[in-house]
mmCIF file of all heavy atoms in Angstrom:
data_model
loop_
_atom_site.group_PDB
_atom_site.id
_atom_site.type_symbol
_atom_site.label_atom_id
_atom_site.label_comp_id
_atom_site.label_asym_id
_atom_site.label_seq_id
_atom_site.Cartn_x
_atom_site.Cartn_y
_atom_site.Cartn_z
ATOM 1 N N VAL A 79 14.668 20.458 0.236
ATOM 2 C CA VAL A 79 13.344 19.958 -0.106
ATOM 3 C C VAL A 79 12.950 20.515 -1.466
ATOM 4 O O VAL A 79 13.065 21.714 -1.706
ATOM 5 C CB VAL A 79 12.296 20.377 0.957
ATOM 6 C CG1 VAL A 79 10.896 19.952 0.547
ATOM 7 C CG2 VAL A 79 12.662 19.798 2.316
ATOM 8 N N GLY A 94 -21.234 -1.062 -1.722
ATOM 9 C CA GLY A 94 -22.642 -0.745 -1.553
ATOM 10 C C GLY A 94 -22.933 0.414 -0.610
ATOM 11 O O GLY A 94 -24.093 0.700 -0.305
ATOM 12 N N SER A 96 -23.520 4.136 0.947
ATOM 13 C CA SER A 96 -24.255 5.297 0.419
ATOM 14 C C SER A 96 -23.336 6.317 -0.258
ATOM 15 O O SER A 96 -23.787 7.076 -1.118
ATOM 16 C CB SER A 96 -25.052 5.975 1.541
ATOM 17 O OG SER A 96 -24.179 6.477 2.542
ATOM 18 N N PHE A 97 -22.042 6.323 0.090
ATOM 19 C CA PHE A 97 -21.109 7.238 -0.570
ATOM 20 C C PHE A 97 -20.959 6.920 -2.054
ATOM 21 O O PHE A 97 -20.545 7.771 -2.839
ATOM 22 C CB PHE A 97 -19.734 7.193 0.094
ATOM 23 C CG PHE A 97 -19.681 7.784 1.489
ATOM 24 C CD1 PHE A 97 -18.549 7.614 2.270
ATOM 25 C CD2 PHE A 97 -20.749 8.494 2.037
ATOM 26 C CE1 PHE A 97 -18.468 8.149 3.552
ATOM 27 C CE2 PHE A 97 -20.682 9.027 3.318
ATOM 28 C CZ PHE A 97 -19.538 8.853 4.076
ATOM 29 N N ASP A 134 -15.591 20.050 12.370
ATOM 30 C CA ASP A 134 -16.510 19.673 13.448
ATOM 31 C C ASP A 134 -17.050 18.262 13.283
ATOM 32 O O ASP A 134 -18.232 18.000 13.505
ATOM 33 C CB ASP A 134 -17.665 20.679 13.553
ATOM 34 C CG ASP A 134 -17.185 22.067 13.922
ATOM 35 O OD1 ASP A 134 -16.276 22.165 14.769
ATOM 36 O OD2 ASP A 134 -17.705 23.055 13.361
ATOM 37 N N THR A 143 -4.901 0.889 12.130
ATOM 38 C CA THR A 143 -3.844 0.214 11.395
ATOM 39 C C THR A 143 -2.647 1.148 11.260
ATOM 40 O O THR A 143 -2.785 2.362 11.391
ATOM 41 C CB THR A 143 -4.332 -0.239 9.997
ATOM 42 O OG1 THR A 143 -3.262 -0.881 9.312
ATOM 43 C CG2 THR A 143 -4.839 0.927 9.174
ATOM 44 N N GLY A 154 -12.599 -0.764 1.911
ATOM 45 C CA GLY A 154 -13.192 -1.314 0.696
ATOM 46 C C GLY A 154 -13.895 -2.640 0.942
ATOM 47 O O GLY A 154 -14.858 -2.982 0.259
ATOM 48 N N VAL A 164 -4.154 9.287 -2.455
ATOM 49 C CA VAL A 164 -4.303 8.436 -3.639
ATOM 50 C C VAL A 164 -3.108 7.507 -3.822
ATOM 51 O O VAL A 164 -3.258 6.426 -4.385
ATOM 52 C CB VAL A 164 -4.562 9.248 -4.926
ATOM 53 C CG1 VAL A 164 -5.891 9.985 -4.835
ATOM 54 C CG2 VAL A 164 -3.437 10.206 -5.212
ATOM 55 N N ARG A 176 -14.082 7.940 -3.427
ATOM 56 C CA ARG A 176 -14.641 9.247 -3.778
ATOM 57 C C ARG A 176 -13.744 10.369 -3.266
ATOM 58 O O ARG A 176 -13.103 10.241 -2.224
ATOM 59 C CB ARG A 176 -16.038 9.428 -3.172
ATOM 60 C CG ARG A 176 -17.089 8.489 -3.734
ATOM 61 C CD ARG A 176 -17.390 8.807 -5.195
ATOM 62 N NE ARG A 176 -18.416 7.957 -5.733
ATOM 63 C CZ ARG A 176 -18.195 6.839 -6.418
ATOM 64 N NH1 ARG A 176 -16.955 6.414 -6.604
ATOM 65 N NH2 ARG A 176 -19.194 6.130 -6.898
ATOM 66 N N ARG A 179 -15.020 16.576 -0.237
ATOM 67 C CA ARG A 179 -15.475 17.937 -0.508
ATOM 68 C C ARG A 179 -15.485 18.685 0.809
ATOM 69 O O ARG A 179 -16.176 18.235 1.731
ATOM 70 C CB ARG A 179 -16.873 17.924 -1.144
ATOM 71 C CG ARG A 179 -17.263 19.308 -1.633
ATOM 72 C CD ARG A 179 -18.581 19.339 -2.354
ATOM 73 N NE ARG A 179 -19.671 18.962 -1.463
ATOM 74 C CZ ARG A 179 -20.580 18.029 -1.719
ATOM 75 N NH1 ARG A 179 -20.556 17.357 -2.819
ATOM 76 N NH2 ARG A 179 -21.524 17.775 -0.849
ATOM 77 N N ILE A 189 13.190 14.930 -0.405
ATOM 78 C CA ILE A 189 14.028 15.438 0.679
ATOM 79 C C ILE A 189 15.407 14.856 0.445
ATOM 80 O O ILE A 189 15.566 13.639 0.384
ATOM 81 C CB ILE A 189 13.479 15.011 2.051
ATOM 82 C CG1 ILE A 189 12.017 15.453 2.178
ATOM 83 C CG2 ILE A 189 14.339 15.579 3.175
ATOM 84 C CD1 ILE A 189 11.272 14.754 3.279
ATOM 85 N N HIS A 206 10.231 14.415 -12.046
ATOM 86 C CA HIS A 206 9.642 15.627 -12.637
ATOM 87 C C HIS A 206 9.133 15.339 -14.054
ATOM 88 O O HIS A 206 8.049 15.773 -14.431
ATOM 89 C CB HIS A 206 10.658 16.772 -12.677
ATOM 90 C CG HIS A 206 10.761 17.528 -11.389
ATOM 91 N ND1 HIS A 206 9.731 18.254 -10.849
ATOM 92 C CD2 HIS A 206 11.800 17.670 -10.526
ATOM 93 C CE1 HIS A 206 10.114 18.810 -9.728
ATOM 94 N NE2 HIS A 206 11.370 18.469 -9.497
#
Side-chain angles (χ1 to χ4, degrees):
V79 175
S96 63
F97 291 170
D134 297 320
T143 179
V164 296
R176 294 292 182 265
R179 189 176 63 232
I189 305 163
H206 277 296

